[in-house]
């Protein structure tokens, strides 16, 4: 079955800790994206990668970091510098102009 | 930079009635336009897309959307809603680099 997996579905962390969210795809897509979703705000782009070993900042990259060492994997680290990390995080991959989304990870930081 | 406005935060519709969700976009060139649907706690599913050509596009689950360049709109419609259509709907515009900008979403409630 081809698709995008994100793990875990729910993640809880204490303030001041870094946390890494996993995103894996077996669709053979070159481009991958991370979005943050907050109630009433739609999705906002954090980082994206058009190809392995390359990535660019999106609109709200501060406090986040990514890597793209493998085509199928695009992990997102939420650092302690992110002021409001509690949110729903969505990963996507792209073929042509169409993006396909994973099921999301809900991160709660207390 | 592109942007998307979905004027309706919440719409309630009776089962079997028609549904129209509004979307207005701002983009300098010919846009890529999308509608996505999201069930609570889930990812987004692509309903339909417009790239070029016929301005009335058909999607999955009986949805359609019409691109109107003169009004910078891409409204989503369904002739007869089912209880399973209750969800949040997002309109998005893509730029030449294929980055998407999303509207804030419209929540649809279906009453029996």
């Amino acid at each position: 079955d081809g698709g995008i997996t994100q793990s875990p579905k729910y993640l809880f962390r204490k303030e001041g800790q870094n946390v890494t969210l996993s995103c894996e795809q077996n669709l053979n897509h070159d481009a991958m994206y991370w979005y943050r979703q907050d109630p009433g705000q739609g999705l906002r782009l954090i980082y994206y990668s058009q190809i392995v070993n390359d990535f660019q900042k999106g609109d709200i990259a501060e406090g986040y970091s990514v890597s793209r060492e493998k085509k199928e994997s695009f992990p997102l680290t939420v650092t302690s510098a992110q002021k409001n990390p509690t949110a729903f995080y969505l990963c996507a991959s792209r073929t042509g102009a169409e993006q396909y989304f994973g099921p999301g990870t809900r991160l709660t930081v207390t | 930079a592109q942007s998307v406005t979905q004027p309706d935060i919440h719409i309630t519709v009776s089962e079997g009635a028609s549904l129209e969700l509004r979307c207005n976009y701002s983009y300098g060139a010919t846009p890529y336009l999308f509608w996505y649907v999201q069930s609570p706690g889930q990812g987004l599913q692509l309903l339909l897309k417009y790239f070029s050509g016929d301005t009335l596009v058909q999607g999955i689950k009986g949805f359609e959307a019409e691109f109107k360049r003169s009004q910078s709109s891409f409204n989503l419609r369904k002739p007869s809603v089912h209880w399973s259509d209750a969800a949040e709907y997002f309109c998005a515009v893509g730029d030449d680099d294929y980055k998407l900008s999303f509207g804030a979403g419209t929540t649809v409630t279906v009453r029996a």
Side-chain angles (χ1 to χ4, degrees):
Chain A
D1 247 350
I4 303 171
T5 57
Q6 292 185 243
S7 60
K9 188 168 178 63
Y10 298 96
L11 194 50
F12 298 88
R13 282 292 183 271
K14 294 290 187 187
E15 208 172 294
Q17 294 178 336
N18 291 356
V19 58
T20 298
L21 282 60
S22 167
C23 177
E24 304 277 331
Q25 54 102 358
N26 60 4
L27 301 168
N28 201 34
H29 292 169
D30 284 316
M32 297 184 74
Y33 302 78
W34 273 106
Y35 294 90
R36 170 184 172 134
Q37 185 177 21
D38 297 282
Q41 291 195 47
L43 279 71
R44 293 180 290 167
L45 181 63
I46 305 172
Y47 266 98
Y48 64 104
S49 168
Q50 304 277 32
I51 200 164
V52 174
N53 293 322
D54 187 44
F55 50 82
Q56 287 81 39
K57 293 181 179 179
D59 300 320
I60 56 164
E62 185 175 348
Y64 299 98
S65 66
V66 293
S67 62
R68 186 82 189 278
E69 296 174 2
K70 298 187 297 183
K71 187 175 187 177
E72 57 271 21
S73 178
F74 190 39
L76 173 75
T77 296
V78 184
T79 75
S80 57
Q82 168 49 233
K83 291 185 175 24
N84 294 297
T86 295
F88 190 51
Y89 291 87
L90 287 155
C91 176
S93 67
R94 177 175 60 79
T95 178
E98 297 178 31
Q99 292 189 25
Y100 295 89
F101 286 80
T105 291
R106 184 165 299 281
L107 172 65
T108 302
V109 177
T110 58
Chain B
Q2 69 267 35
S3 66
V4 176
T5 301
Q6 293 181 245
D8 304 304
I9 297 172
H10 190 196
I11 286 180
T12 299
V13 60
S14 297
E15 192 168 15
S18 63
L19 174 68
E20 181 167 13
L21 304 182
R22 296 182 290 164
C23 172
N24 293 100
Y25 69 90
S26 171
Y27 186 61
T30 300
Y32 301 112
L33 293 163
F34 306 85
W35 275 100
Y36 286 87
V37 61
Q38 183 182 36
S39 297
Q42 304 297 317
L44 274 66
Q45 182 182 22
L46 180 64
L47 281 176
L48 48 76
K49 59 187 182 288
Y50 172 79
F51 295 162
S52 65
D54 194 347
T55 56
L56 184 64
V57 294
Q58 303 296 321
I60 62 171
K61 305 186 181 193
F63 285 92
E64 66 178 25
E66 186 171 13
F67 170 60
K68 292 186 177 180
R69 184 186 301 275
S70 62
Q71 298 177 22
S72 297
S73 69
F74 188 55
N75 295 348
L76 181 72
R77 298 193 293 253
K78 185 168 184 178
S80 176
V81 299
H82 185 260
W83 63 266
S84 59
D85 294 322
E88 191 161 18
Y89 293 80
F90 293 94
C91 181
V93 60
D95 64 13
D96 287 341
D97 208 21
Y98 306 115
K99 297 195 304 294
L100 295 182
S101 292
F102 286 83
T106 298
T107 299
V108 173
T109 298
V110 180
R111 59 180 173 222

